[in-house]
Amino acid sequence: MSRSSIFSFEHFAGFRPRLPATLLAVAGLLAALELCLRLLPEDKLIPARSRQGEIFFMERQVLPHFPKPQVLLLGSSRVRRAAVPRQLDEELALPPNSTLNAGLASGHVFEALYLYARNRAQLKQARLVMLNTDEWHLSSGWRLGSVFELHAPWADRMQLPEPLRTRLLLDGVFSMRLRLRIIQGHISNWLVRRKPDTLDLKLDENNQVLPPLREPLPVDIDPARLDTTIEAFYYHFAISRVLEGHVERLARMVREDGGQFVLMQLPNRSSYQSEVRKLHGAEYAAHIAALRALAARLDVPLFLYDQPSACGLSDESYEDYGHITPAGARTFTRFLADLIQREQWLK
Amino acid sequence: MLFNSFSFWLFFLPVFAWYCVLNHRWQNRFLLAASCFFYSWWEPSFPAWDIRHYRFVGLMFCTAALDYFVGNRMAAIQDLKHRRPWLVLSLAANLGVLAFFKYFNFFADSAYAALHACGVSVPRWQLQIILPVSISFYTFQSLAYTIDIFRGKLQPARSLRDYLLFISYFPHLVAGPINRPQSLLAQCEQPRRLTWENWTQGATLILFGLFKKIAVADILAPLADQAFAHPERCSPAALLFGLYCFTFQIYADFSAYTDIARGLAKLMGFELMRNFDQPYFASNLTAFWRRWHISLSSWLRDYLYIPLGGNRRGGARTYFNLFLTMFLGGLWHGASWTFAIWGILHGLYLAVHRLWLGGRKATDELPAPGARQALTHALKVLATFHLVAFAWIFFRAGSPSPGLRGQGEGAMSGFACAFQYLRGLWPFGAHEHSIHFDSDHMGQAILAMAALVLLIDIPQYLKREHCVILSWRFPWRVAAFALLCVWLILLRETENVPFIYFQF
């Protein structure tokens, strides 16, 4: 190398590299642990009370009851509470067990996509797939959940903003945080002498997946808690192209399977909605704009309901900020049946 | 670009690889360019191709260039009297910029409130000012340079490039340690050696730092946030637990940054000063300040307390100097009266300790073997820890967590929060307790605190060595590193909280 070179290795003088035995041993141990966990079947490791646990529950306990679904409802617990499948079957004059309400607690679009993709052979029979979105569905600020953390494609992980990207990349390499949760859960339960977690869901006589014993909840809600809920939903609010992509992928799959894909957003309690407009009006408007643009891009129908009255509901139809009571669900199901008939989605 | 983010490592690894193969002159140029890139990353308002993206880099370099010029001028003047105007210029420029960006609105608000309380009606003056990241850190570092040249203790930097690198060197740029020019500037000027030992020690420090940040501080943050967001809704026990969480969180968070900064610097052949020395094992408040944020406390001692007269001008003046130093040290952290109260409280602690000592020297040695001595020492450590924790209430009340979820419009002002917290800690009052911590999360928090103390602090304290793990026998070393790594992976908090000291 010439003397004028910008390169030099003089600062390595006396550098004596050794075999990094500790580093190799630790890396080997971690790799072995990770590999073993990846080889174990997932359902042995995932706690029942988790997003993935709920998907397993749907697959084992619910889906077998619906061998030929005609109408498939996807989304979060809001849609799970809002639509009564047996009533919808009757209103639409469909054979029994034709409507499958597969809403998941805090369910993201990715989870709907994951459920659909895993059970595509069965679910592709649905002639109508309705995805109910929530205001946090397109924002990367709301927690994405363990199903996404475990199964997100690398491209999705890379494209999300920091600090999400780091977290998801680490979860992609070391999935042990998620896969070892059940052991952590057992240790915690043992330490605080608590019964193991179980999923308290049940497919009821209306074909609705709900917790078995539901106490009637007070209709009025604490405004302070309302604030907390809103702040949580709008935490670091940012519309994410990656999350929009999940809707696009789901719509594409449904279309490939010959079904009609519909986007919908159920109304929230009006007092909640006005609080949202006050605290995060701009973010809510951005969500609505993104949803409209998405529907236009995909060329799918979009039904946005801003106020409960638009669906024949009132604030008394809600248990909390946005979950509909059983009585409200009957009203909403009737409304939904009318909408489906009017739009002729099942023709 | 947080140290615990993928983006940072995507930046650092290529920089490090290039750094290793460049000659000394180009290493410094390259590090300077990398530091500019790193610092400008904190300006998200404008894209990289917009000149305004580099406005705070420009501000930092302007003040640094002035100090470089002032340093050269002072070095050329023999007479101390004639050097003084140059020093005044440097102090005015640096403190002026700091005062404008950090304290303008604070003092304007305080003056408005004071006049308003006296019945004088004046218009409220508020400017939309963005606080440049790390301004407090690099200002103090730059001031140390000009003051030391003024005192004749330092030769000026040989080149502006080396001086700018001393100020902006990216590992310590954002949250210190506040390095002295005698050490870091000299390292910038001299060729550095890359050694295997430095690489292993650097990697170990980085691992410790990541562990402290991710597996301890970020685990504790949500519990501390919950308690400080709504102290009026927590039980006294929950508030006490929240306070312990914050006490450990701030230590783990800040020392994590220092460990990673020192580790990165070590990889590149630099040696940054130690900033923490197991502060919560201090057996008195004087010793605490010798162990906590050492680079700031020694800066305040050398450039503020001693120039004010230190303890050489009689009892009353010594106590005044202590209070003033700690008051300004408190305000250095942030433009809020709660920080000032935190500083004054520590000034009070130090004054009482000094009074109690009489003429004796404060000691902080491990006791001689014996149950009684050990018990006495343990009690002293415990008492010091609780006094420090108590003062953190004011500190935390003035600095809401940067990653706090759900603390929007309902957040209280610093004073109200501190008052509510103190009121809530009183166990005999009537309370409405609607906030309960999740038992799993509490268990994780206790484990995180225990891990910090047992796996890192106690071994370091007993051996007086930061990388003590490296001296362990191979199987123990592997077991300890593997445990740290698995813990880091398993107990990683899903929320990523920025380093607390980034806001100062």
Side-chain angles (χ1 to χ4, degrees):
Chain A
M1 212 169 289
S2 72
R3 285 179 66 82
S4 63
S5 170
I6 65 166
F7 299 107
S8 166
F9 294 96
E10 280 172 12
H11 37 266
F12 278 108
F15 187 90
R16 275 171 296 178
R18 284 174 232 144
L19 182 75
T22 310
L23 180 70
L24 292 175
V26 172
L29 278 173
L30 289 179
L33 178 61
E34 178 66 27
L35 203 66
C36 290
L37 288 171
R38 280 179 188 252
L39 289 174
L40 280 170
E42 214 161 62
D43 55 349
K44 294 274 182 283
L45 291 171
I46 303 297
R49 198 189 276 271
S50 68
R51 305 269 191 94
Q52 182 97 24
E54 206 168 311
I55 288 178
F56 289 149
F57 168 82
M58 293 296 289
E59 289 179 342
R60 287 178 201 148
Q61 313 280 326
V62 180
L63 258 55
H65 293 273
F66 301 86
K68 285 184 181 167
Q70 303 277 305
V71 178
L72 174 61
L73 300 169
L74 297 168
S76 65
S77 55
R78 290 211 314 126
V79 77
R80 180 161 83 186
R81 297 275 182 90
V84 185
R86 192 176 292 276
Q87 188 191 343
L88 200 63
D89 286 345
E90 287 162 7
E91 304 256 3
L92 295 172
L94 293 170
N97 298 354
S98 291
T99 301
L100 168 59
N101 187 342
L104 301 163
S106 304
H108 249 290
V109 180
F110 184 81
E111 280 142 32
L113 177 68
Y114 179 76
L115 181 73
Y116 190 90
R118 275 169 66 97
N119 303 282
R120 196 167 178 182
Q122 183 180 353
L123 299 181
K124 72 178 182 186
Q125 300 173 83
R127 285 190 284 158
L128 172 63
V129 177
M130 297 186 87
L131 174 70
N132 182 67
T133 58
D134 284 296
E135 61 217 291
W136 42 269
H137 263 159
L138 301 180
S139 164
S140 56
W142 175 250
R143 56 182 76 95
L144 295 168
S146 58
V147 179
F148 186 74
E149 286 161 347
L150 266 174
H151 302 288
W154 285 100
D156 282 8
R157 293 174 196 267
M158 282 299 291
Q159 281 175 46
L160 280 160
E162 291 287 4
L164 266 177
R165 183 194 303 155
T166 304
R167 214 177 76 201
L168 290 164
L169 287 173
L170 269 176
D171 280 332
V173 179
F174 296 111
S175 63
M176 61 176 88
R177 181 176 75 88
L178 301 155
R179 288 175 201 271
L180 278 176
R181 261 193 198 159
I182 196 156
I183 296 174
Q184 281 183 51
H186 282 316
I187 294 172
S188 304
N189 291 339
W190 175 74
L191 282 174
V192 297
R193 296 169 193 280
R194 185 177 53 193
K195 282 184 182 169
D197 282 346
T198 50
L199 195 63
D200 55 355
L201 288 175
K202 199 177 133 191
L203 183 67
D204 70 9
E205 63 283 359
N206 291 318
N207 280 349
Q208 203 170 5
V209 178
L210 292 171
L213 289 169
R214 290 171 66 213
E215 296 291 327
L217 293 165
V219 170
D220 55 359
I221 42 176
D222 179 4
R225 284 184 65 87
L226 208 62
D227 276 11
T228 314
T229 307
I230 294 170
E231 291 302 333
F233 287 157
Y234 287 89
Y235 177 71
H236 288 188
F237 188 91
I239 299 291
S240 163
R241 189 69 196 86
V242 171
L243 303 183
E244 288 181 344
H246 298 158
V247 182
E248 288 171 8
R249 269 145 66 187
L250 182 60
R252 206 166 45 238
M253 281 165 90
V254 172
R255 202 169 275 168
E256 281 167 13
D257 295 337
Q260 168 71 52
F261 184 76
V262 175
L263 277 170
M264 181 173 71
Q265 185 157 308
L266 288 170
N268 284 306
R269 175 193 283 261
S270 54
S271 56
Y272 169 86
Q273 201 58 40
S274 57
E275 202 68 15
V276 165
R277 286 195 190 285
K278 204 166 74 191
L279 296 175
H280 291 281
E283 287 91 338
Y284 183 73
H287 164 76
I288 296 299
L291 210 53
R292 286 190 202 282
L294 191 60
R297 207 160 55 234
L298 294 172
D299 192 22
V300 295
L302 168 67
F303 287 86
L304 279 171
Y305 299 106
D306 214 17
Q307 289 301 320
S309 55
C311 306
L313 301 168
S314 66
D315 271 5
E316 281 66 49
S317 313
Y318 290 86
E319 287 177 351
D320 54 14
Y321 73 94
H323 292 96
I324 294 173
T325 58
R330 284 191 290 277
T331 311
F332 180 75
T333 307
R334 207 169 306 123
F335 170 83
L336 191 61
D338 288 346
L339 178 72
I340 293 170
Q341 280 170 335
R342 195 171 63 240
E343 296 293 328
Q344 300 187 333
W345 285 323
L346 291 177
K347 283 274 163 84
Chain B
M1 213 181 327
L2 300 173
F3 284 165
N4 52 336
S5 72
F6 178 72
S7 310
F8 175 76
W9 294 98
L10 212 58
F11 157 80
F12 177 73
L13 292 175
V15 165
F16 180 54
W18 270 103
Y19 173 85
C20 287
V21 298
L22 293 173
N23 68 30
H24 173 244
R25 193 192 302 172
W26 278 93
Q27 275 182 340
N28 283 7
R29 287 175 182 163
F30 183 62
L31 280 183
L32 189 57
S35 300
C36 287
F37 177 82
F38 176 82
Y39 191 58
S40 64
W41 192 273
W42 298 96
E43 170 57 275
S45 317
F46 302 102
W49 55 84
D50 191 324
I51 189 74
R52 286 171 296 177
H53 186 71
Y54 304 96
R55 56 190 172 165
F56 293 130
V57 177
L59 176 74
M60 178 172 65
F61 281 179
C62 278
T63 51
L66 176 78
D67 288 333
Y68 174 74
F69 173 73
V70 164
N72 280 346
R73 294 298 306 159
M74 283 198 293
I77 299 167
Q78 291 300 314
D79 186 5
L80 209 64
K81 206 174 97 184
H82 290 104
R83 282 182 182 176
R84 202 175 297 272
W86 291 104
L87 178 68
V88 171
L89 174 67
S90 167
L91 290 173
N94 283 289
L95 296 177
V97 169
L98 182 65
F100 175 74
F101 280 98
K102 194 161 180 173
Y103 301 106
F104 180 86
N105 282 339
F106 166 66
F107 284 120
D109 267 356
S110 299
Y112 171 82
L115 289 170
H116 197 74
C118 298
V120 182
S121 177
V122 286
R124 195 169 193 161
W125 264 41
Q126 273 279 352
L127 295 179
Q128 292 289 321
I129 302 171
I130 300 172
L131 179 66
V133 172
S134 81
I135 190 168
S136 311
F137 288 94
Y138 72 69
T139 302
F140 270 34
Q141 195 160 296
S142 213
L143 281 177
Y145 173 77
T146 46
I147 294 171
D148 280 352
I149 293 179
F150 171 78
R151 288 172 176 172
K153 287 183 175 175
L154 182 73
Q155 287 300 309
R158 287 184 208 156
S159 75
L160 178 61
R161 180 196 60 214
D162 292 345
Y163 183 69
L164 293 180
L165 178 61
F166 157 68
I167 294 294
S168 66
Y169 180 48
F170 70 84
H172 80 130
L173 175 59
V174 179
I178 305 165
N179 283 276
R180 298 299 174 86
Q182 285 86 345
S183 161
L184 187 58
L185 182 59
Q187 293 179 60
C188 291
E189 290 176 337
Q190 297 297 324
R192 296 164 291 271
R193 281 187 57 215
L194 301 178
T195 65
W196 182 258
E197 288 69 29
N198 272 352
W199 281 14
T200 47
Q201 286 180 9
T204 306
L205 283 173
I206 291 169
L207 178 67
F208 280 172
L210 289 174
F211 178 80
K212 285 179 182 178
K213 172 65 183 156
I214 298 168
V216 182
D218 288 358
I219 290 282
L220 299 174
L223 294 168
D225 289 350
Q226 247 183 305
F228 277 91
H230 294 289
E232 76 285 3
R233 291 197 219 155
C234 295
S235 66
L239 289 178
L240 192 62
F241 189 73
L243 182 58
Y244 286 143
C245 284
F246 182 68
T247 304
F248 277 94
Q249 182 205 347
I250 191 164
Y251 166 55
D253 193 279
F254 194 16
S255 67
Y257 181 89
T258 307
D259 283 353
I260 300 173
R262 291 185 68 221
L264 295 170
K266 257 187 187 295
L267 294 180
M268 292 186 269
F270 286 90
E271 192 69 49
L272 300 184
M273 74 181 289
R274 264 179 96 153
N275 219 7
F276 292 92
D277 188 13
Q278 284 75 52
Y280 291 151
F281 289 151
S283 58
N284 57 67
L285 265 304
T286 308
F288 172 78
W289 278 103
R290 286 184 196 137
R291 292 163 172 272
W292 176 271
H293 203 172
I294 299 166
S295 66
L296 175 70
S297 54
S298 60
W299 195 101
L300 291 171
R301 181 196 63 208
D302 294 347
Y303 299 102
L304 189 62
Y305 178 70
I306 292 175
L308 282 170
N311 57 4
R312 301 184 308 276
R313 295 194 186 171
R317 183 61 192 259
T318 300
Y319 291 115
F320 172 76
N321 291 343
L322 260 180
F323 272 108
L324 186 64
T325 305
M326 296 312 290
F327 167 72
L328 292 174
L331 268 190
W332 174 89
H333 286 85
S336 158
W337 287 113
T338 47
F339 285 120
I341 290 179
W342 173 77
I344 289 170
L345 202 52
H346 272 283
L348 186 72
Y349 288 163
L350 291 174
V352 170
H353 185 230
R354 193 177 173 82
L355 211 61
W356 184 65
L357 279 175
R360 286 174 293 141
K361 226 175 149 77
T363 56
D364 188 31
E365 297 299 315
L366 270 174
R372 196 166 158 219
Q373 286 90 334
L375 186 69
T376 314
H377 186 78
L379 286 175
K380 282 181 184 174
V381 169
L382 215 59
T384 307
F385 173 82
H386 281 90
L387 286 171
V388 170
F390 175 76
W392 286 132
I393 294 175
F394 296 93
F395 187 97
R396 176 60 181 76
S399 56
S401 163
L404 180 51
R405 181 190 281 270
Q407 187 175 324
E409 299 213 331
M412 284 188 242
S413 73
F415 270 124
C417 177
F419 174 72
Q420 286 287 359
Y421 212 98
L422 292 171
R423 195 164 159 256
L425 274 173
W426 182 247
F428 306 111
H431 303 279
E432 178 227 346
H433 309 141
S434 58
I435 291 180
H436 299 282
F437 294 147
D438 172 48
S439 60
D440 282 357
H441 207 152
M442 279 178 75
Q444 283 186 4
I446 291 167
L447 271 176
M449 289 190 259
L452 176 66
V453 174
L454 297 175
L455 283 174
I456 297 182
D457 272 3
I458 287 182
Q460 285 182 348
Y461 179 68
L462 293 177
K463 289 276 177 192
R464 294 263 168 223
E465 166 61 52
H466 257 188
C467 295
V468 60
I469 258 183
L470 290 175
S471 61
W472 292 359
R473 293 174 61 142
F474 180 74
W476 290 111
R477 200 163 63 226
V478 170
F481 277 122
L483 182 64
L484 283 177
C485 289
V486 171
W487 197 313
L488 193 60
I489 294 164
L490 291 188
L491 283 192
R492 194 157 44 84
E493 178 52 33
T494 50
E495 209 57 65
N496 207 341
V497 185
F499 287 93
I500 294 174
Y501 264 68
F502 278 17
Q503 59 190 308
F504 307 137

